[in-house]
Structure formats: C-alpha cells, structure tokens
Amino acid sequence: MRPTPHKTLAASVLAVAALAGVSLPVTPAAAVPHAAPLAAACTPAQVVANGGFESSTSPWSQSSTGVITNRAGQSAHGGTNFAWLDGVGSTHTDTLSQSVTIPSGCSSATLSFWLHIDTAETTSSTAYDKLTAKIGTTTLATYSNLGKNTGYVQKSFDVSAFAGQTVNVAFAGTEDSSLQTSFVVDDVALDTSGGTTPPADSTRTPAAPSYTVSLSSNTSGTVWTGHESAAFTNASSTALSEVYLRLWDNYHGTCSSMPITVSNVTGGTAGALSVGCTALKIDLPTPLAQGQTATIGFDLGITVPSGADRFGYDGAFSLIGNALPVLAVKDAAGWHLDPYTNNGESFYSLSADFSVALDHPSTLLVPATGTSVDTPGSSGRTITTATASKVRDFAWAAGPFSKISGTSTAGTPVNVYSVSGISSADAQSMLTTAKSAVDAHASRFGAYPYGELDAVIDNNFWFGGMEYPGFVLDLVSTTALTHEIGHQWWYGIVGDDEYNSPWLDEAFTDYSTDLALSKTGTGCWNSVSWASTAEKITDSMAYWDAHSSRYSTVVYGYGKCALHDLRRVLGDSVMAKLLKDFATSHWYGVSTTSEFKAAAQAATSTDLTSFWTQHRVDG
C-alpha cells in the first residue's frame, strides 16, 4: 500500500519529473575476498524481445513488410501494433520468426501469445487455411479457419525442454485459393523461471493451495454469490486436524452483518468465527498426514459496502480486494490469525493457483488478477474467467470503466481502467508509467510472471494505492503507481508475513521505486529521528497500529533509506546482485528478515552487525 495524501500529489509528481534525469552514482564495491555469493542457478527472465510489436519490427523477421502492422481491419490485443498473417483471400503464405536463447538452469519455460482468428470461410468441417506455431523444428500447435473467434485467446506451451538452446519462435500462415482467413498474433512472451512450485518449506502449511471459484453478481456488481473450493496439501510433519479460512473483509462490517458469508461447508466441519469474524475454523474429518491432500468447499456470499476502499464501491465502481476466503498459514510459530489492519496489510499467505469465473452484466468491465478471457453468458451477461498461477491473493473490480491498453517494451500487456472523472490524458500517463515500471522492476529482480497487469485508477482512494497480484488500485500518481507495481515482486513473488514484518514488502518496494524513478536517496538517513527506544524499522503492525502516525515515516521512509545506506556499504553492483539473487532464491516463497540479513552478510567481508544496530533492523 502507498499512503499518498491528495494534497501531496502535485508536489510528488513534480519531484519525480525533476528527478527523471538523475542516475544512481556508481559506488566502488568493497573488496570481498571471503564473500560467499548467493546461488542463483536461474534468474527468471522474459526472453522474447518486442513481443507486442510496439518497437518497430526488430528483432522479428517477417516475410513481408506488412505482417507487423497497425493498419485498419484488425486491432491489437494491447498497444497499437500486431502481427497480421494472411487475410488475402488467395493462395498466400506469411511467416514471422525471432531467434531466442532460453537460459540453462531454468526448470520452467513457457511460450505464450494471444491469437485472434477471423475468416470468410463458411465451412464448419474443413481446415482450408492454417497457422502453425513452432519452436525450433517442433510444431507446438496448428490453428485454422475452424477456430474463428470474436476476440483474442491466449495460447500457452511448456517449452522447458529447450532450456540452454538458441531456437526460433516462428509462426507460418497459409491460405488456399479463395476466401480469406486472418491470423492475428500479439503479445508474444517466453517466460523462464527456476521452478513451477515454491521453495519447499515444511514449516509452512497448508501448502500449494488451489482455489476454484464461481460467482454471479447482481446488476451493479455489488453483490456476488456462488461457490468456492480450496484444495491443499499438508507440508508439515505434524498432522493437520483443522484449517482456518481468513474472511478478511468482515472487518468492514459486523459479526451480526458480515459482508463475507460462508455456508454449507463440505470436506470439513465449520467451527467458530474468531478475530472479529475474520477467521473461520474448519475441522477436518480425519487428521491430514504430511504429504496428504484434502479439499474443502463452501457457498460464498459477498456484499460490497459503500466507500472508495480496498473493498468498497465508489458510485458505479466496485473494488473487491481480499474478498475471497483464503487459507491461513501455520508455521513454526503456530497459526497466524492476526487481526485486519487498516493502517497497512495483514495478508500473510502462501502462493496458490486460482481459477475464478465471474458472471456479470455485460455493461460492466471486470479487471482481475491473472489472465482473463470473456465468454458470453446468459442474455446480457458475460462470464469473465480469470486464471492465475502462484499468486498470494485474488482481487477484482466491476464497473463501467474506461479502458486503455498497451504492451511494455519487454512484452507485458498492461491495461488501465479508469473511473469517471479521470481524464484521458491522466489515464494515458498512468499507462505509460505502468509499462515503464513493470519493465524497470523486472530488469532488476526477474521477469514479471503474472501475464497481464491491470491498474484501476480512482482519485477518491483515501489510501493512495493498493497492491494485489497482477492487479493494483491507485490514484493518478507516478510515484504511487510505480510503488504498487513494485509490490508485484516484494509481497507478490517474494512473500513475507506482512503483519509481523511489514518492512520486507513496504521498505523494499519503496527502495525499488526510488531505483525505478532514478532517485539516489542521498543523505536521506540524515533526517532520521526516532520517537522512542522501542521504535524500529522491523516493528510489526501491532506496534504500528498503536503508533500509526509513525508507520509511514519509519517503515517506508527510514526503511528505504536503510537499504540505500546498505547499497553504499556494499557497492551498487553487489547490492543489485544481492536483491536479484534474494528474489530468485525466494521466488514464490516467503522471505524473513533474518534470511535477508544473512544474505547481505554473505555478500560482503564487512561485518554488518553495527549497520543493523544503527538502522534498527532486528531479526
């Protein structure tokens, strides 16, 4: 979250503009003859260049100058350009290819692209015109006029077998002698990562959750009803006899009038609600041994309250964050049933897979976590099906938004959804910021893994901005939006216990924001003034809820300044490698303060004990 008061927005935007040309000084790294570098067998990366075709045609090879285009007759999935193969209506072949190198050591590599097919062919049985997608000499799929559709559909393929190889990603479209078929390709990406599962950790359970959700809304998108199921595995050596669901948004109501209701539980027995009705215990029918899996299901009701909040509606626009019940985490400290905090976040959760079908009036746009596909529902309704892999939460919005789209230089599709009152110039500015920010963070910490990125812009947000995987809420603010997108790495990809260690996401994200906006943090530690001996950068939300006026100053401000100071101790290149390796080693996992301190110490021969003491970083 980025607490940005309205009155400071103009000043912060001007400050960002003034600093746009500033670059970080290169600080010589201290000699580290005995340093033990962090292992980083695979740095997550997106290896297709110009996958959205927005940067002219390079490095693509095309059979004719008209394949990569923005001409009338077809439209882009994101941005303005796309690849249009065929569509001639006579015997014709178009080709498009790019040579890519898939790094070795990466156990996961996924090629994806968005495809739209339209055709004048009338047959329902004969494939006259065809598009072939290949990697190297391997054919991944063949599409034809029989696959015509009204919009884009994303196609994904596991190409992990090609790790360590340089191969061509290629498309070839062929038409017969009559009746055109157009194969339109956009937003091609090839993402690599160190693995498809989070790092093994037997201290945190239930592990590998998989949520399947089906909900239907009322006409305004403020009430949703349906069903949710959660499958999970017990990773702990201790048998699991119960689980807890976090019903976070019951904070926004009362126990006698709950915005989130769970009923008709299967796979377990519902127990008592606790922690202000935000935690629901479910007893399992038999204890679940280590490595065993189970599934619980329940009917779900969501009633969105009034207010421009993380969970609330602002006029015709509903914002629905933290509304889906998720499994609480049990680790070496026991069950984490911390209270909701309105000052920051409490959302400690493990990476999970979500498949969420949202049935809503077609007049409402529904941006959501993950990659979404719209299909027709019953009369006047649309079903938006969003899928997301290895995310910690799922959020969405619903309303008559204005939408603009683009693709970052590195190939991430970005959508900006604006409420009424946001000018087209401001929306375009936020799209530009989002594209720049996602690439800047990815270049430092590893490729953005969540497919598309949605940003909902509303200047009525009292909280400034709020992050969810692949989905952020924000004001019109360059700094705030760059910060929220930074959270895709610090909390999203690299998790933490947000209630007990908020600095691990907020300070790291504010530091990342400074880097993305070319702010050096020079001298910022000089303004530090502690309010008490108990005040530390690493204090928990329990402390900050009791000292709320100091939360932003210390966790965001002093926290990022401590990281700037650490950079000056280690040197720019060592600090950059430290953070990238730390992200890689905790990709989809959970980080702790003690692990970061150990990683920093391993990166230098300088004893950092006094540094941590001076900067009040405990743990």
Side-chain angles (χ1 to χ4, degrees):
M1 189 162 71
R2 175 78 182 185
T4 309
H6 284 224
K7 63 183 180 182
T8 68
L9 281 181
S12 66
V13 170
L14 289 173
V16 170
L19 284 161
V22 179
S23 60
L24 290 174
V26 177
T27 305
V32 287
H34 305 295
L38 289 176
C42 172
T43 297
Q46 200 291 99
V47 300
V48 168
N50 191 24
F53 310 111
E54 299 300 316
S55 302
S56 187
T57 61
S58 179
W60 292 98
S61 296
Q62 52 182 343
S63 56
S64 68
T65 56
V67 173
I68 296 176
T69 183
N70 60 5
R71 68 184 188 270
Q74 297 293 340
S75 59
H77 174 257
T80 57
N81 292 348
F82 46 89
W84 186 349
L85 293 88
D86 298 335
V88 175
S90 60
T91 303
H92 185 80
T93 298
D94 278 327
T95 61
L96 180 71
S97 66
Q98 178 181 147
S99 176
V100 300
T101 299
I102 304 176
S104 59
C106 292
S107 60
S108 173
T110 302
L111 175 68
S112 63
F113 57 89
W114 290 82
L115 175 63
H116 166 58
I117 302 172
D118 74 37
T119 184
E121 301 283 4
T122 58
T123 179
S124 60
S125 59
T126 305
Y128 290 114
D129 310 317
K130 298 178 181 180
L131 175 75
T132 301
K134 300 176 70 174
I135 185 165
T137 59
T138 301
T139 298
L140 299 173
T142 299
Y143 307 97
S144 74
N145 49 280
L146 298 177
K148 64 181 180 180
N149 52 4
T150 56
Y152 278 92
V153 175
Q154 190 179 41
K155 309 296 183 180
S156 296
F157 304 92
D158 183 352
V159 294
S160 306
F162 296 88
Q165 300 181 36
T166 298
V167 291
N168 272 351
V169 172
F171 302 91
T174 59
E175 283 182 295
D176 70 351
S177 59
S178 64
L179 299 177
Q180 75 87 23
T181 299
S182 295
F183 300 101
V184 190
V185 176
D186 203 357
D187 293 328
V188 184
L190 202 165
D191 293 297
T192 65
S193 65
T196 57
T197 58
D201 187 345
S202 61
T203 67
R204 297 184 180 97
T205 201
S210 179
Y211 300 96
T212 303
V213 184
S214 179
L215 297 172
S216 180
S217 82
N218 64 352
T219 56
S220 62
T222 57
V223 177
W224 300 77
T225 56
H227 189 79
E228 177 177 344
S229 65
F232 54 89
T233 301
N234 180 22
S236 172
S237 58
T238 302
L240 199 62
S241 58
E242 77 281 335
V243 295
Y244 286 85
L245 288 174
R246 295 314 310 256
L247 282 54
W248 287 116
D249 283 335
N250 280 342
Y251 167 87
H252 298 279
T254 64
C255 287
S256 59
S257 180
M258 294 183 291
I260 310 298
T261 59
V262 168
S263 59
N264 299 323
V265 173
T266 59
T269 303
L273 284 159
S274 59
V275 198
C277 293
T278 66
L280 174 63
K281 182 181 181 182
I282 296 180
D283 292 306
L284 301 178
T286 57
L288 200 64
Q290 187 175 31
Q292 290 186 327
T293 62
T295 301
I296 58 173
F298 47 89
D299 291 337
L300 175 64
I302 299 170
T303 302
V304 183
S306 176
D309 209 331
R310 299 186 281 198
F311 177 61
Y313 64 85
D314 181 16
F317 303 92
S318 293
L319 303 317
I320 310 171
N322 304 111
L324 292 185
V326 294
L327 292 162
V329 177
K330 183 181 183 183
D331 60 19
W335 284 106
H336 284 257
L337 302 178
D338 302 305
Y340 185 101
T341 174
N342 213 30
N343 199 27
E345 287 84 43
S346 305
F347 315 126
Y348 178 22
S349 55
L350 303 184
S351 294
D353 295 340
F354 284 82
S355 177
V356 181
L358 301 168
D359 183 333
H360 57 89
S362 299
T363 53
L364 305 180
L365 295 183
V366 179
T369 290
T371 299
S372 296
V373 175
D374 287 344
T375 55
S378 58
S379 179
R381 296 182 70 88
T382 296
I383 299 173
T384 297
T385 301
T387 56
S389 178
K390 304 298 178 286
V391 297
R392 300 182 192 279
D393 201 353
F394 184 97
W396 73 99
F401 295 101
S402 296
K403 176 187 177 183
I404 58 174
S405 300
T407 305
S408 75
T409 300
T412 298
V414 179
N415 305 301
V416 169
Y417 295 81
S418 301
V419 304
S420 53
I422 302 296
S423 70
S424 58
D426 281 344
Q428 188 61 53
S429 173
M430 292 299 93
L431 178 61
T432 300
T433 293
K435 292 191 295 183
S436 174
V438 71
D439 284 355
H441 295 314
S443 69
R444 290 185 173 91
F445 312 122
Y448 177 77
Y450 297 144
E452 62 193 37
L453 172 64
D454 294 338
V456 175
I457 308 299
D458 185 340
N459 276 334
N460 290 330
F461 291 146
W462 65 267
F463 47 86
M466 180 62 194
E467 70 280 359
Y468 297 98
F471 176 96
V472 298
L473 307 174
D474 223 308
L475 305 164
V476 176
S477 166
T478 297
T479 302
L481 185 56
T482 303
H483 175 97
E484 301 313 333
I485 292 172
H487 273 304
Q488 301 303 308
W489 284 263
W490 307 112
Y491 139 82
I493 299 166
V494 181
D496 65 280
D497 179 346
E498 290 190 306
Y499 188 83
N500 288 297
S501 300
W503 91 289
L504 285 172
D505 50 279
E506 296 298 359
F508 280 56
T509 296
D510 238 24
Y511 174 76
S512 304
T513 301
D514 275 5
L515 298 184
L517 298 177
S518 299
K519 295 184 179 182
T520 66
T522 301
C524 66
W525 191 258
N526 298 339
S527 62
V528 167
S529 177
W530 300 105
S532 71
T533 57
E535 189 172 83
K536 300 178 180 66
I537 288 173
T538 48
D539 281 332
S540 73
M541 288 309 306
Y543 178 89
W544 298 120
D545 281 345
H547 305 83
S548 59
S549 66
R550 296 286 294 169
Y551 170 61
S552 179
T553 297
V554 177
V555 172
Y556 291 70
Y558 296 0
K560 76 173 180 182
C561 287
L563 293 173
H564 278 299
D565 268 13
L566 182 61
R567 174 173 53 82
R568 282 182 271 272
V569 171
L570 300 181
D572 290 357
S573 61
V574 174
M575 183 66 168
K577 186 176 188 304
L578 166 65
L579 287 179
K580 194 160 194 174
D581 288 352
F582 191 72
T584 298
S585 62
H586 291 81
W587 203 260
Y588 300 140
V590 175
S591 64
T592 65
T593 298
S594 62
E595 288 170 337
F596 179 71
K597 290 170 66 175
Q601 185 60 75
T604 180
S605 58
T606 300
D607 187 343
L608 296 176
T609 302
S610 62
F611 179 92
W612 305 126
T613 301
Q614 176 194 358
H615 293 80
R616 299 199 184 188
V617 176
D618 289 354

